[in-house]
Amino acid sequence: MLAGAGLTGCISVDSASSARQYAVLETDTTGATSTNIASLTEVIQRNPGDAGAYTTRGAAYARAGQFNDAVADFSKAVQIDPNSASAYNNRALAYRQMGRNDAALQDFSRAITANPNYGPAYIGRANVERAQGNLDGALNDLNVAIRLMPESAEAYHARGLVRQKQGQDTQAIADFDAAIDRNPFVSAPYAARGQSLIATNQYPKAIEDYNAALNVNNKDATSWAYRGLAYEKSGQRKEAMENYQRASVIDPNNPVARSGLSRVQGGVGSLFN
């Protein structure tokens, strides 16, 4: 009843230098999720042995931000069906939202054991491995994920982040290119590619990428800050100041903006007083 990608949107992945969400789990403000949970509870009451119903309700709980309830439902699903790769995968994603990375890593591995061809679990496990510094393990898992899911934008984006952390910015750019080709409507691959473009001294292209990222999400302090850095490195001091200041308004503790402002603030007044 629930494909493995059903909860993929709740995972957060960090870029080379800051937390960045690739696919954001949106909070339901319409009340539809509560109605859905109630109807799914009725289904479970009629069919208490239906693992898929628990998995589906678990995903609904996760969308509502009720991760303890989601974990309980996914746990019931794997109790009923110990070979449910999607239930293990979704429980792992819920654990990640709760900050329980070790538990998530175990569940991603259980999903892979249950179904070695289940691509989302390789992506999920790689994201944890990257966060824990196991870049070789993450790269291996993402190579498998891309073989299994060659049209997955998320897999290419995640591999780009690994290569970026490894200092392989040219290869990272190629992976971000592939992610954007497959899904041009999310901001994170543009923002991540922008960092690698800055690292390879391609400042005008980096500015274009941050323009695209901010068109999708103009509340991202990190994108404002890195666009400021690209402007600064291009010698456009006023534009750099504007972007650093905008980033600081959104996040006063953004390290890129703070260090940038300390370099370029002389002689240019704040635009946000």
Side-chain angles (χ1 to χ4, degrees), residues 8 35 69 109 113 125 128 136 158 163 186 216 218 222 248 264:
T8 302
T35 302
D69 291 325
S109 295
T113 298
R125 188 169 71 177
V128 179
D136 289 339
R163 287 176 162 166
V186 239
V216 177
N218 68 359
T222 300
S248 295
V264 304

Side-chain angles (χ1 to χ4, degrees), residues 74-193:
F74 297 139
S75 297
K76 183 65 175 179
V78 298
Q79 179 184 339
I80 296 169
D81 180 6
N83 294 314
S84 174
S86 64
Y88 282 120
N89 186 70
N90 284 340
R91 189 171 70 176
L93 292 167
Y95 279 142
R96 284 219 72 191
Q97 289 294 105
M98 300 164 71
R100 298 179 59 185
N101 278 353
D102 289 339
L105 193 65
Q106 292 178 359
D107 267 359
F108 286 130
S109 295
R110 289 185 179 113
I112 291 167
T113 298
N115 182 357
N117 293 318
Y118 192 74
Y122 289 97
I123 300 173
R125 188 169 71 177
N127 287 332
V128 179
E129 289 166 335
R130 187 185 71 251
Q132 295 181 339
N134 181 8
L135 300 183
D136 289 339
L139 187 60
N140 289 337
D141 273 348
L142 290 166
N143 288 339
V144 175
I146 288 169
R147 176 175 58 79
L148 293 171
M149 305 167 62
E151 294 306 311
S152 171
E154 187 179 4
Y156 279 104
H157 176 259
R159 192 172 70 177
L161 293 175
V162 172
R163 287 176 162 166
Q164 194 174 65
K165 274 198 167 184
Q166 292 175 323
Q168 300 176 5
D169 284 291
T170 300
Q171 295 92 326
I173 289 168
D175 275 344
F176 297 136
D177 289 345
I180 291 166
D181 285 344
R182 286 158 176 77
N183 185 356
F185 304 111
V186 239
S187 64
Y190 293 100
R193 187 172 67 180

Side-chain angles (χ1 to χ4, degrees), residues 11-264:
I11 197 162
S12 293
V13 294
D14 54 322
S15 73
S17 60
S18 65
R20 183 174 303 284
Q21 292 180 324
Y22 176 65
V24 179
L25 180 67
E26 297 181 358
T27 302
D28 173 34
T29 58
T30 67
T33 297
S34 297
T35 302
N36 192 35
I37 289 171
S39 63
L40 289 167
T41 299
E42 293 178 2
V43 172
I44 288 170
Q45 289 171 345
R46 293 194 300 270
N47 304 280
D50 185 347
Y54 282 101
T55 303
T56 305
R57 190 177 69 175
Y61 276 131
R63 284 192 294 274
Q66 297 173 233
F67 296 110
N68 286 321
D69 291 325
V71 166
D73 269 0
F74 297 139
S75 297
K76 183 65 175 179
V78 298
Q79 179 184 339
I80 296 169
D81 180 6
N83 294 314
S84 174
S86 64
Y88 282 120
N89 186 70
N90 284 340
R91 189 171 70 176
L93 292 167
Y95 279 142
R96 284 219 72 191
Q97 289 294 105
M98 300 164 71
R100 298 179 59 185
N101 278 353
D102 289 339
L105 193 65
Q106 292 178 359
D107 267 359
F108 286 130
S109 295
R110 289 185 179 113
I112 291 167
T113 298
N115 182 357
N117 293 318
Y118 192 74
Y122 289 97
I123 300 173
R125 188 169 71 177
N127 287 332
V128 179
E129 289 166 335
R130 187 185 71 251
Q132 295 181 339
N134 181 8
L135 300 183
D136 289 339
L139 187 60
N140 289 337
D141 273 348
L142 290 166
N143 288 339
V144 175
I146 288 169
R147 176 175 58 79
L148 293 171
M149 305 167 62
E151 294 306 311
S152 171
E154 187 179 4
Y156 279 104
H157 176 259
R159 192 172 70 177
L161 293 175
V162 172
R163 287 176 162 166
Q164 194 174 65
K165 274 198 167 184
Q166 292 175 323
Q168 300 176 5
D169 284 291
T170 300
Q171 295 92 326
I173 289 168
D175 275 344
F176 297 136
D177 289 345
I180 291 166
D181 285 344
R182 286 158 176 77
N183 185 356
F185 304 111
V186 239
S187 64
Y190 293 100
R193 187 172 67 180
Q195 289 189 32
S196 287
L197 288 168
I198 290 173
T200 54
N201 304 319
Q202 300 181 68
Y203 308 127
K205 288 184 177 180
I207 291 168
E208 290 178 4
D209 268 358
Y210 286 114
N211 291 342
L214 290 166
N215 280 338
V216 177
N217 177 16
N218 68 359
K219 301 296 185 182
D220 181 11
T222 300
S223 288
W224 284 105
Y226 273 102
R227 191 169 72 172
L229 182 61
Y231 276 125
E232 181 185 354
K233 287 182 174 291
S234 298
Q236 300 178 66
R237 181 187 181 93
K238 181 177 181 294
E239 290 81 359
M241 171 66 81
E242 293 171 357
N243 279 264
Y244 288 144
Q245 289 178 326
R246 185 63 176 267
S248 295
V249 168
I250 298 169
D251 177 10
N253 296 316
N254 184 279
V256 176
R258 291 181 68 178
S259 62
L261 283 171
S262 72
R263 291 190 300 271
V264 304

